[in-house]
Amino acid sequence: MPSVPDTATRLSGDTYVVPGLTNAGYVAGLGIDTSENEAAYAGVALDTLAITHGHADHFSIAHILRDAGARVIAARDDAAMVENPDINIRGMFSWAKPSDKMTTKLFRGIGCAVDGHVEDFNDHRAVAIPLPGHTLGHHGFLTADGVLFTGDALYIRDLWEQHPLPYAIDPGMVVASLERIRSVDCTWIVPAHGRPVSRDEAEEHIDFHITQVRRTAEMLLHGLRNGMTTEGAVAFISRELGLPENQAVYWLAVTDVKGYLGELLDRGLIEFSVRDHVGWWQTIA
């Protein structure tokens, strides 16, 4: 029986990275997220699978690993999305049923029963660290070897040209979680997308991510000086950031921009009203 997934690369001690569409982790029988490659796990003894958050690209083969004997854990706020990915898709569409054309493939997948919650996770191989913002229940996992798997809480600088508006539901939480990542004593950081980076190099990527969040907020605040509808705000940010013009990207942008609008409203920097049955946002002079 193989001791580790056959595509895994040792990063430190017993901690391995399993590369794929989503970078996964493996630590002596503990999995952290999954890659999409079922064959990589063939015959591997996996007793626990810890999922960073409830987006389907992070638990794409969790149901297979659970059937093989792994115990699956996810955060309380995200567990329902792991068990039924359609919840996340419908949430993006105000709970109505969208066409498949409207949703990113990263949110579509096969659900998996959850056996326990991350909040109760007690394992010598890794410690769970709350990193909300991308989703409410998002967690990272710090292994005993000093490797921090950050899920989608950190986008390294390499990815920003391709993804200038990473999906998030709360930009304020995103920044707070990035600062929490900065405070963690570790030697390596493994984002779910991109490459592992050393703790020293990670400083640059954390700073860049925070700068981009604040830049987008300022961009929106400036754009709302003369007022915009919700649709106008989404279109404005999408144009300014050069987002691709397709249905899946549009619906991701809707969630992102609404997150920024909500935060700016809570900070008292913009106001919201309804005019002729249309939502209207405007910067407070």
Side-chain angles (χ1 to χ4, degrees), residues 49 63-64 84 87 94 103 112-113 127 142 154 198 204 208 233 245 273:
L49 176 62
H63 62 291
I64 296 171
N84 181 8
I87 290 174
S94 300
T103 58
C112 176
V127 174
L142 174 65
L154 170 65
S198 69
E204 171 196 350
F208 190 80
E245 198 166 15
S273 60

Side-chain angles (χ1 to χ4, degrees), residues 59-95:
F59 58 88
S60 55
I61 61 168
H63 62 291
I64 296 171
L65 299 177
R66 185 175 184 274
D67 286 346
R71 180 173 180 268
V72 174
I73 66 167
R76 287 188 176 89
D77 281 323
D78 283 25
M81 294 191 293
V82 174
E83 295 189 324
N84 181 8
D86 193 51
I87 290 174
N88 191 61
I89 293 171
R90 283 180 175 264
M92 289 180 61
F93 202 56
S94 300
W95 303 106

Side-chain angles (χ1 to χ4, degrees), residues 131-138 152-153 167-175 177:
L131 298 174
H134 183 71
T135 67
L136 280 177
H138 193 292
D152 286 344
Y167 180 86
I169 61 170
D170 188 321
M173 281 185 174
V174 167
V175 170
S177 290

Side-chain angles (χ1 to χ4, degrees), residues 148-167:
L148 176 60
F149 288 84
T150 55
D152 286 344
L154 170 65
Y155 274 62
I156 63 174
R157 188 167 187 162
D158 315 36
L159 299 180
W160 281 85
E161 184 173 344
Q162 183 180 358
H163 301 287
L165 188 64
Y167 180 86

